[in-house]
Amino acid sequence: MDHGGHGMDGMNMDLPPFTLGRGLEFGGDPIFLVGCLLGLGLYGWAVIRLRRRGDAWPVGRVVAWTLGVVTVALVMCTRLNDYGMAMFSVHMVQHMVISMLSPILLLLGAPVTLALRALPAAGRGRKGPRELLVALLHSRYMRIITHPAFTIPLFIASLYALYFSPLFDFLMESRAGHIGMMVHFLAVGLVFFWPIMGVDPGPHRPGYVMRMLELFAGMPFHAFFGIALMMATEPMVDTFVHPPASLGIEALADQQAAGGIAWAFSEIPSVVVLIALVYQWYKSEARQSQRADRAADRNGDKDLADYNAYLASLNARGQ
């Protein structure tokens, strides 16, 4: 299979040589554009609803969510989306951002927690959006798709089973297939990082050490994938074998660039997630320490008094 499918768009056959300026021009996919605007709008509505009620919502979470939506928009609502249909390297930037950077930022925004706090309760015996969300969070389906035995293989298979099989070429024949693939990458990233980030409630809340192990179980496979593309002596994906002449690129060199991007990107989320986990761990320990101090204040250091009484009784018995 060659690049013939790209002719369906008519646009990719005469793309000018890639520059960052051209890549970031507005354009791209209306589905993602509507999704990004909805994401910002609904999150903003929920935060305003909380504030009007007198409840606080951390500014850091608003910033993280906004950055997450912006990263999705940057790779999907610009001309990068056109170049990504014809250049393996640009496609790989889209894939890595939308599957590994955007999900982490979106999850740090704690959208599920925000929804649970902002949505009104439906009332006795009735089911509204809040009740449906709670039911979904506690469902067997959610327990399965957020379990490491599901998320880690899915995260790995999204690379190897997709790129090294005819499925990738089939999806890349049409813009709809390409968009569907990107939606899948975003969903897989969200499902993989959700239990690891542990910001929102979910069926699986592993301890901090287990979260780090889950993170490191998936990342090396991204690095190996990138190295495989860089070391290859011939193009490995049919879609990008014959790039449009107007781009002035060579397929193998572009594939090696794509491999370098995949390899380098495997480190970025690891660092971001590790920083977030260590910070959460620190905050958790600080909260536990505060709780212990408050309990001691309430008891009037009863434990210490009991211990001193015990020592005194031992002392009396010794005499």
Side-chain angles (χ1 to χ4, degrees):
M1 193 183 298
D2 67 9
H3 68 299
H6 294 155
M8 293 168 68
D9 298 311
M11 301 173 67
N12 294 326
M13 304 314 292
D14 55 359
L15 282 170
F18 179 78
T19 63
L20 192 59
R22 283 175 184 150
L24 293 178
E25 284 172 12
F26 182 73
D29 182 63
I31 293 171
F32 271 96
L33 182 60
V34 170
C36 287
L37 291 173
L38 266 178
L40 287 176
L42 289 172
Y43 194 94
W45 167 82
V47 172
I48 290 166
R49 187 177 164 85
L50 284 190
R51 293 265 163 87
R52 281 188 179 153
R53 212 165 61 194
D55 292 341
W57 184 254
V59 175
R61 288 182 176 178
V62 177
V63 171
W65 176 264
T66 306
L67 286 174
V69 174
V70 167
T71 56
V72 172
L74 272 177
V75 294
M76 295 309 302
C77 302
T78 62
R79 294 291 303 281
L80 286 178
N81 209 36
D82 296 328
Y83 281 100
M85 291 286 287
M87 292 176 68
F88 203 173
S89 54
V90 176
H91 168 86
M92 194 56 70
V93 169
Q94 287 183 287
H95 177 174
M96 292 295 135
V97 168
I98 210 167
S99 71
M100 296 176 81
L101 183 60
S102 305
I104 293 169
L105 292 167
L106 292 172
L107 289 167
L108 284 173
V112 176
T113 304
L114 179 62
L116 289 171
R117 287 179 61 184
L119 288 169
R124 213 185 180 100
R126 295 211 303 273
K127 281 195 173 179
R130 189 180 188 281
E131 288 70 24
L132 292 172
L133 178 58
V134 170
L136 178 64
L137 287 172
H138 290 100
S139 67
R140 179 184 292 177
Y141 167 77
M142 198 57 79
R143 277 204 302 277
I144 293 169
I145 69 159
T146 58
H147 194 279
F150 180 86
T151 61
I152 294 170
L154 179 69
F155 192 65
I156 295 163
S158 286
L159 280 177
Y160 293 89
L162 185 64
Y163 284 94
F164 300 149
S165 78
L167 181 59
F168 182 82
D169 295 319
F170 171 73
L171 291 170
M172 288 295 285
E173 281 187 347
S174 68
R175 187 161 285 259
H178 182 233
I179 296 307
M181 190 194 311
M182 290 297 166
V183 170
H184 167 79
F185 288 150
L186 180 60
V188 168
L190 287 168
V191 165
F192 177 73
F193 287 110
W194 183 10
I196 294 172
M197 300 308 296
V199 178
D200 274 327
H204 295 283
R205 296 300 296 269
Y208 290 100
V209 174
M210 272 306 296
R211 290 189 211 173
M212 290 178 188
L213 289 175
E214 280 184 42
L215 172 68
F216 290 123
M219 289 305 128
F221 291 93
H222 263 261
F224 295 149
F225 171 74
I227 291 165
L229 292 179
M230 282 194 289
M231 301 293 283
T233 53
E234 59 183 42
M236 296 172 74
V237 180
D238 287 351
T239 297
F240 300 113
V241 166
H242 303 291
S246 61
L247 286 172
I249 59 168
E250 197 263 314
L252 187 59
D254 189 50
Q255 176 177 287
Q256 287 164 348
I261 290 160
W263 175 71
F265 231 100
S266 63
E267 304 304 318
I268 295 170
S270 305
V271 173
V272 174
V273 173
L274 271 180
I275 291 169
L277 284 182
V278 169
Y279 178 71
Q280 286 173 28
W281 201 343
Y282 164 75
K283 294 277 281 187
S284 169
E285 293 292 323
R287 277 197 300 271
Q288 284 182 351
S289 175
Q290 284 175 345
R291 276 200 293 270
D293 290 345
R294 281 199 297 271
D297 291 342
R298 276 199 305 275
N299 295 339
D301 279 337
K302 185 174 179 298
D303 292 343
L304 185 60
D306 289 347
Y307 183 62
N308 286 334
Y310 169 67
L311 288 179
S313 71
L314 286 180
N315 198 28
R317 240 178 278 156
Q319 289 175 346

mmCIF file of all heavy atoms in Angstrom, residues 183-217:
data_model
loop_
_atom_site.group_PDB
_atom_site.id
_atom_site.type_symbol
_atom_site.label_atom_id
_atom_site.label_comp_id
_atom_site.label_asym_id
_atom_site.label_seq_id
_atom_site.Cartn_x
_atom_site.Cartn_y
_atom_site.Cartn_z
ATOM 1 N N VAL A 183 -7.980 10.055 18.634
ATOM 2 C CA VAL A 183 -8.918 9.942 19.762
ATOM 3 C C VAL A 183 -8.538 8.715 20.598
ATOM 4 O O VAL A 183 -8.533 8.765 21.839
ATOM 5 C CB VAL A 183 -10.381 9.832 19.264
ATOM 6 C CG1 VAL A 183 -11.329 9.480 20.418
ATOM 7 C CG2 VAL A 183 -10.819 11.133 18.594
ATOM 8 N N HIS A 184 -8.195 7.625 19.916
ATOM 9 C CA HIS A 184 -7.770 6.394 20.612
ATOM 10 C C HIS A 184 -6.505 6.655 21.433
ATOM 11 O O HIS A 184 -6.427 6.240 22.606
ATOM 12 C CB HIS A 184 -7.516 5.294 19.572
ATOM 13 C CG HIS A 184 -6.790 4.101 20.117
ATOM 14 N ND1 HIS A 184 -7.420 3.120 20.856
ATOM 15 C CD2 HIS A 184 -5.478 3.742 20.045
ATOM 16 C CE1 HIS A 184 -6.524 2.209 21.213
ATOM 17 N NE2 HIS A 184 -5.346 2.559 20.734
ATOM 18 N N PHE A 185 -5.526 7.341 20.848
ATOM 19 C CA PHE A 185 -4.273 7.628 21.574
ATOM 20 C C PHE A 185 -4.552 8.445 22.849
ATOM 21 O O PHE A 185 -3.984 8.185 23.901
ATOM 22 C CB PHE A 185 -3.290 8.409 20.689
ATOM 23 C CG PHE A 185 -2.675 7.596 19.582
ATOM 24 C CD1 PHE A 185 -2.295 8.204 18.396
ATOM 25 C CD2 PHE A 185 -2.468 6.233 19.721
ATOM 26 C CE1 PHE A 185 -1.713 7.469 17.368
ATOM 27 C CE2 PHE A 185 -1.888 5.486 18.709
ATOM 28 C CZ PHE A 185 -1.514 6.102 17.518
ATOM 29 N N LEU A 186 -5.429 9.434 22.728
ATOM 30 C CA LEU A 186 -5.772 10.274 23.889
ATOM 31 C C LEU A 186 -6.466 9.427 24.964
ATOM 32 O O LEU A 186 -6.132 9.524 26.154
ATOM 33 C CB LEU A 186 -6.674 11.432 23.450
ATOM 34 C CG LEU A 186 -7.116 12.399 24.546
ATOM 35 C CD1 LEU A 186 -5.934 13.084 25.222
ATOM 36 C CD2 LEU A 186 -8.078 13.460 23.979
ATOM 37 N N ALA A 187 -7.415 8.595 24.534
ATOM 38 C CA ALA A 187 -8.152 7.752 25.484
ATOM 39 C C ALA A 187 -7.210 6.769 26.190
ATOM 40 O O ALA A 187 -7.301 6.579 27.409
ATOM 41 C CB ALA A 187 -9.266 6.998 24.752
ATOM 42 N N VAL A 188 -6.310 6.152 25.433
ATOM 43 C CA VAL A 188 -5.366 5.187 26.018
ATOM 44 C C VAL A 188 -4.457 5.887 27.028
ATOM 45 O O VAL A 188 -4.192 5.361 28.114
ATOM 46 C CB VAL A 188 -4.525 4.495 24.913
ATOM 47 C CG1 VAL A 188 -3.346 3.726 25.518
ATOM 48 C CG2 VAL A 188 -5.397 3.555 24.100
ATOM 49 N N GLY A 189 -3.998 7.087 26.680
ATOM 50 C CA GLY A 189 -3.152 7.859 27.599
ATOM 51 C C GLY A 189 -3.880 8.189 28.890
ATOM 52 O O GLY A 189 -3.326 8.051 29.987
ATOM 53 N N LEU A 190 -5.143 8.593 28.780
ATOM 54 C CA LEU A 190 -5.934 8.932 29.966
ATOM 55 C C LEU A 190 -6.143 7.706 30.861
ATOM 56 O O LEU A 190 -5.993 7.773 32.079
ATOM 57 C CB LEU A 190 -7.299 9.511 29.549
ATOM 58 C CG LEU A 190 -7.278 10.930 28.979
ATOM 59 C CD1 LEU A 190 -8.607 11.272 28.331
ATOM 60 C CD2 LEU A 190 -6.925 11.961 30.052
ATOM 61 N N VAL A 191 -6.471 6.569 30.238
ATOM 62 C CA VAL A 191 -6.720 5.343 31.001
ATOM 63 C C VAL A 191 -5.431 4.842 31.668
ATOM 64 O O VAL A 191 -5.449 4.363 32.801
ATOM 65 C CB VAL A 191 -7.320 4.260 30.062
ATOM 66 C CG1 VAL A 191 -7.257 2.879 30.687
ATOM 67 C CG2 VAL A 191 -8.767 4.598 29.724
ATOM 68 N N PHE A 192 -4.296 4.968 30.962
ATOM 69 C CA PHE A 192 -3.012 4.493 31.501
ATOM 70 C C PHE A 192 -2.557 5.347 32.687
ATOM 71 O O PHE A 192 -2.136 4.824 33.721
ATOM 72 C CB PHE A 192 -1.943 4.512 30.400
ATOM 73 C CG PHE A 192 -0.569 4.102 30.882
ATOM 74 C CD1 PHE A 192 -0.273 2.784 31.177
ATOM 75 C CD2 PHE A 192 0.436 5.044 31.047
ATOM 76 C CE1 PHE A 192 0.987 2.397 31.627
ATOM 77 C CE2 PHE A 192 1.707 4.683 31.503
ATOM 78 C CZ PHE A 192 1.975 3.348 31.785
ATOM 79 N N PHE A 193 -2.645 6.671 32.528
ATOM 80 C CA PHE A 193 -2.094 7.560 33.565
ATOM 81 C C PHE A 193 -3.064 7.839 34.722
ATOM 82 O O PHE A 193 -2.638 8.312 35.768
ATOM 83 C CB PHE A 193 -1.643 8.893 32.944
ATOM 84 C CG PHE A 193 -0.383 8.786 32.134
ATOM 85 C CD1 PHE A 193 -0.406 8.914 30.759
ATOM 86 C CD2 PHE A 193 0.834 8.539 32.750
ATOM 87 C CE1 PHE A 193 0.759 8.807 30.006
ATOM 88 C CE2 PHE A 193 2.008 8.428 32.018
ATOM 89 C CZ PHE A 193 1.975 8.558 30.633
ATOM 90 N N TRP A 194 -4.370 7.551 34.540
ATOM 91 C CA TRP A 194 -5.359 7.875 35.570
ATOM 92 C C TRP A 194 -5.031 7.231 36.931
ATOM 93 O O TRP A 194 -4.909 7.930 37.943
ATOM 94 C CB TRP A 194 -6.750 7.480 35.076
ATOM 95 C CG TRP A 194 -7.882 7.812 36.000
ATOM 96 C CD1 TRP A 194 -7.826 8.588 37.131
ATOM 97 C CD2 TRP A 194 -9.238 7.387 35.881
ATOM 98 N NE1 TRP A 194 -9.070 8.672 37.714
ATOM 99 C CE2 TRP A 194 -9.955 7.937 36.965
ATOM 100 C CE3 TRP A 194 -9.924 6.610 34.962
ATOM 101 C CZ2 TRP A 194 -11.315 7.720 37.147
ATOM 102 C CZ3 TRP A 194 -11.276 6.387 35.139
ATOM 103 C CH2 TRP A 194 -11.960 6.941 36.223
ATOM 104 N N PRO A 195 -4.853 5.880 36.984
ATOM 105 C CA PRO A 195 -4.521 5.293 38.294
ATOM 106 C C PRO A 195 -3.142 5.725 38.804
ATOM 107 O O PRO A 195 -2.925 5.823 40.009
ATOM 108 C CB PRO A 195 -4.535 3.779 38.043
ATOM 109 C CG PRO A 195 -4.951 3.562 36.639
ATOM 110 C CD PRO A 195 -4.962 4.871 35.938
ATOM 111 N N ILE A 196 -2.228 6.014 37.877
ATOM 112 C CA ILE A 196 -0.863 6.404 38.273
ATOM 113 C C ILE A 196 -0.865 7.788 38.905
ATOM 114 O O ILE A 196 -0.229 8.020 39.943
ATOM 115 C CB ILE A 196 0.097 6.367 37.049
ATOM 116 C CG1 ILE A 196 0.260 4.923 36.560
ATOM 117 C CG2 ILE A 196 1.455 6.973 37.398
ATOM 118 C CD1 ILE A 196 1.025 4.798 35.261
ATOM 119 N N MET A 197 -1.601 8.725 38.298
ATOM 120 C CA MET A 197 -1.645 10.087 38.841
ATOM 121 C C MET A 197 -2.392 10.117 40.177
ATOM 122 O O MET A 197 -2.011 10.832 41.091
ATOM 123 C CB MET A 197 -2.325 11.050 37.865
ATOM 124 C CG MET A 197 -1.660 11.163 36.503
ATOM 125 S SD MET A 197 0.101 11.506 36.565
ATOM 126 C CE MET A 197 0.118 13.106 37.311
ATOM 127 N N GLY A 198 -3.489 9.339 40.259
ATOM 128 C CA GLY A 198 -4.211 9.227 41.525
ATOM 129 C C GLY A 198 -4.824 10.513 42.034
ATOM 130 O O GLY A 198 -5.119 10.631 43.222
ATOM 131 N N VAL A 199 -5.056 11.490 41.146
ATOM 132 C CA VAL A 199 -5.648 12.761 41.591
ATOM 133 C C VAL A 199 -7.160 12.605 41.732
ATOM 134 O O VAL A 199 -7.758 13.026 42.719
ATOM 135 C CB VAL A 199 -5.312 13.900 40.599
ATOM 136 C CG1 VAL A 199 -5.962 15.203 41.037
ATOM 137 C CG2 VAL A 199 -3.800 14.079 40.476
ATOM 138 N N ASP A 200 -7.782 11.980 40.726
ATOM 139 C CA ASP A 200 -9.228 11.760 40.739
ATOM 140 C C ASP A 200 -9.561 10.420 41.387
ATOM 141 O O ASP A 200 -8.748 9.493 41.350
ATOM 142 C CB ASP A 200 -9.762 11.760 39.298
ATOM 143 C CG ASP A 200 -10.077 13.154 38.799
ATOM 144 O OD1 ASP A 200 -10.487 13.992 39.624
ATOM 145 O OD2 ASP A 200 -9.927 13.405 37.595
ATOM 146 N N PRO A 201 -10.776 10.293 41.951
ATOM 147 C CA PRO A 201 -11.185 8.993 42.477
ATOM 148 C C PRO A 201 -11.327 7.979 41.344
ATOM 149 O O PRO A 201 -11.675 8.340 40.220
ATOM 150 C CB PRO A 201 -12.548 9.284 43.116
ATOM 151 C CG PRO A 201 -13.038 10.522 42.430
ATOM 152 C CD PRO A 201 -11.816 11.314 42.093
ATOM 153 N N GLY A 202 -11.024 6.738 41.635
ATOM 154 C CA GLY A 202 -11.133 5.680 40.639
ATOM 155 C C GLY A 202 -11.143 4.331 41.332
ATOM 156 O O GLY A 202 -10.872 4.242 42.528
ATOM 157 N N PRO A 203 -11.447 3.269 40.585
ATOM 158 C CA PRO A 203 -11.519 1.938 41.200
ATOM 159 C C PRO A 203 -10.181 1.469 41.766
ATOM 160 O O PRO A 203 -10.144 0.740 42.742
ATOM 161 C CB PRO A 203 -11.950 1.033 40.036
ATOM 162 C CG PRO A 203 -12.460 1.950 38.976
ATOM 163 C CD PRO A 203 -11.767 3.254 39.162
ATOM 164 N N HIS A 204 -9.079 1.879 41.126
ATOM 165 C CA HIS A 204 -7.761 1.434 41.593
ATOM 166 C C HIS A 204 -6.982 2.630 42.141
ATOM 167 O O HIS A 204 -6.713 3.587 41.426
ATOM 168 C CB HIS A 204 -6.976 0.783 40.445
ATOM 169 C CG HIS A 204 -7.611 -0.476 39.955
ATOM 170 N ND1 HIS A 204 -7.524 -1.672 40.628
ATOM 171 C CD2 HIS A 204 -8.389 -0.709 38.879
ATOM 172 C CE1 HIS A 204 -8.203 -2.590 39.974
ATOM 173 N NE2 HIS A 204 -8.742 -2.033 38.917
ATOM 174 N N ARG A 205 -6.625 2.561 43.413
ATOM 175 C CA ARG A 205 -5.822 3.612 44.024
ATOM 176 C C ARG A 205 -4.572 2.977 44.637
ATOM 177 O O ARG A 205 -4.472 2.815 45.851
ATOM 178 C CB ARG A 205 -6.621 4.347 45.110
ATOM 179 C CG ARG A 205 -7.828 5.087 44.597
ATOM 180 C CD ARG A 205 -7.467 6.147 43.570
ATOM 181 N NE ARG A 205 -6.649 7.196 44.113
ATOM 182 C CZ ARG A 205 -7.123 8.318 44.642
ATOM 183 N NH1 ARG A 205 -8.411 8.523 44.714
ATOM 184 N NH2 ARG A 205 -6.304 9.233 45.103
ATOM 185 N N PRO A 206 -3.631 2.547 43.795
ATOM 186 C CA PRO A 206 -2.433 1.900 44.335
ATOM 187 C C PRO A 206 -1.580 2.882 45.137
ATOM 188 O O PRO A 206 -1.722 4.094 45.008
ATOM 189 C CB PRO A 206 -1.684 1.432 43.080
ATOM 190 C CG PRO A 206 -2.185 2.307 41.977
ATOM 191 C CD PRO A 206 -3.588 2.689 42.338
ATOM 192 N N GLY A 207 -0.690 2.342 45.980
ATOM 193 C CA GLY A 207 0.229 3.181 46.741
ATOM 194 C C GLY A 207 1.245 3.848 45.826
ATOM 195 O O GLY A 207 1.336 3.511 44.639
ATOM 196 N N TYR A 208 2.025 4.756 46.381
ATOM 197 C CA TYR A 208 2.941 5.548 45.566
ATOM 198 C C TYR A 208 4.019 4.693 44.891
ATOM 199 O O TYR A 208 4.375 4.925 43.730
ATOM 200 C CB TYR A 208 3.576 6.658 46.413
ATOM 201 C CG TYR A 208 2.564 7.719 46.779
ATOM 202 C CD1 TYR A 208 1.967 7.734 48.032
ATOM 203 C CD2 TYR A 208 2.182 8.682 45.856
ATOM 204 C CE1 TYR A 208 1.015 8.687 48.358
ATOM 205 C CE2 TYR A 208 1.234 9.640 46.168
ATOM 206 C CZ TYR A 208 0.652 9.638 47.423
ATOM 207 O OH TYR A 208 -0.298 10.570 47.730
ATOM 208 N N VAL A 209 4.524 3.692 45.596
ATOM 209 C CA VAL A 209 5.566 2.837 45.005
ATOM 210 C C VAL A 209 4.993 2.052 43.826
ATOM 211 O O VAL A 209 5.607 1.956 42.756
ATOM 212 C CB VAL A 209 6.160 1.883 46.063
ATOM 213 C CG1 VAL A 209 7.140 0.907 45.416
ATOM 214 C CG2 VAL A 209 6.867 2.687 47.154
ATOM 215 N N MET A 210 3.774 1.505 44.000
ATOM 216 C CA MET A 210 3.132 0.755 42.914
ATOM 217 C C MET A 210 2.867 1.645 41.704
ATOM 218 O O MET A 210 3.011 1.219 40.560
ATOM 219 C CB MET A 210 1.803 0.159 43.404
ATOM 220 C CG MET A 210 1.925 -1.203 44.056
ATOM 221 S SD MET A 210 2.776 -2.417 43.021
ATOM 222 C CE MET A 210 1.635 -2.544 41.648
ATOM 223 N N ARG A 211 2.497 2.883 41.959
ATOM 224 C CA ARG A 211 2.247 3.815 40.846
ATOM 225 C C ARG A 211 3.521 4.033 40.030
ATOM 226 O O ARG A 211 3.498 4.082 38.796
ATOM 227 C CB ARG A 211 1.748 5.161 41.370
ATOM 228 C CG ARG A 211 0.349 5.090 41.934
ATOM 229 C CD ARG A 211 -0.138 6.489 42.219
ATOM 230 N NE ARG A 211 -1.061 6.510 43.345
ATOM 231 C CZ ARG A 211 -1.527 7.617 43.878
ATOM 232 N NH1 ARG A 211 -1.140 8.780 43.424
ATOM 233 N NH2 ARG A 211 -2.371 7.564 44.884
ATOM 234 N N MET A 212 4.640 4.191 40.734
ATOM 235 C CA MET A 212 5.916 4.388 40.044
ATOM 236 C C MET A 212 6.288 3.142 39.232
ATOM 237 O O MET A 212 6.791 3.251 38.107
ATOM 238 C CB MET A 212 7.016 4.716 41.049
ATOM 239 C CG MET A 212 6.854 6.105 41.661
ATOM 240 S SD MET A 212 8.122 6.482 42.888
ATOM 241 C CE MET A 212 7.498 8.035 43.542
ATOM 242 N N LEU A 213 6.010 1.957 39.799
ATOM 243 C CA LEU A 213 6.301 0.715 39.071
ATOM 244 C C LEU A 213 5.440 0.616 37.811
ATOM 245 O O LEU A 213 5.919 0.199 36.756
ATOM 246 C CB LEU A 213 6.053 -0.499 39.979
ATOM 247 C CG LEU A 213 7.065 -0.691 41.110
ATOM 248 C CD1 LEU A 213 6.635 -1.850 42.019
ATOM 249 C CD2 LEU A 213 8.463 -0.962 40.561
ATOM 250 N N GLU A 214 4.161 1.000 37.915
ATOM 251 C CA GLU A 214 3.276 0.990 36.744
ATOM 252 C C GLU A 214 3.802 1.933 35.658
ATOM 253 O O GLU A 214 3.793 1.603 34.476
ATOM 254 C CB GLU A 214 1.856 1.412 37.136
ATOM 255 C CG GLU A 214 1.043 0.314 37.774
ATOM 256 C CD GLU A 214 -0.381 0.761 38.060
ATOM 257 O OE1 GLU A 214 -0.992 1.432 37.204
ATOM 258 O OE2 GLU A 214 -0.885 0.444 39.157
ATOM 259 N N LEU A 215 4.258 3.097 36.096
ATOM 260 C CA LEU A 215 4.791 4.083 35.146
ATOM 261 C C LEU A 215 5.994 3.497 34.404
ATOM 262 O O LEU A 215 6.064 3.541 33.170
ATOM 263 C CB LEU A 215 5.199 5.350 35.901
ATOM 264 C CG LEU A 215 5.945 6.420 35.095
ATOM 265 C CD1 LEU A 215 5.024 7.045 34.057
ATOM 266 C CD2 LEU A 215 6.487 7.502 36.028
ATOM 267 N N PHE A 216 6.932 2.923 35.161
ATOM 268 C CA PHE A 216 8.165 2.435 34.548
ATOM 269 C C PHE A 216 7.964 1.129 33.782
ATOM 270 O O PHE A 216 8.813 0.747 32.987
ATOM 271 C CB PHE A 216 9.259 2.291 35.606
ATOM 272 C CG PHE A 216 9.754 3.618 36.110
ATOM 273 C CD1 PHE A 216 9.708 3.940 37.457
ATOM 274 C CD2 PHE A 216 10.228 4.574 35.221
ATOM 275 C CE1 PHE A 216 10.151 5.184 37.915
ATOM 276 C CE2 PHE A 216 10.660 5.814 35.667
ATOM 277 C CZ PHE A 216 10.625 6.117 37.005
ATOM 278 N N ALA A 217 6.827 0.453 34.017
ATOM 279 C CA ALA A 217 6.539 -0.764 33.244
ATOM 280 C C ALA A 217 6.214 -0.433 31.789
ATOM 281 O O ALA A 217 6.493 -1.221 30.879
ATOM 282 C CB ALA A 217 5.369 -1.516 33.875
#
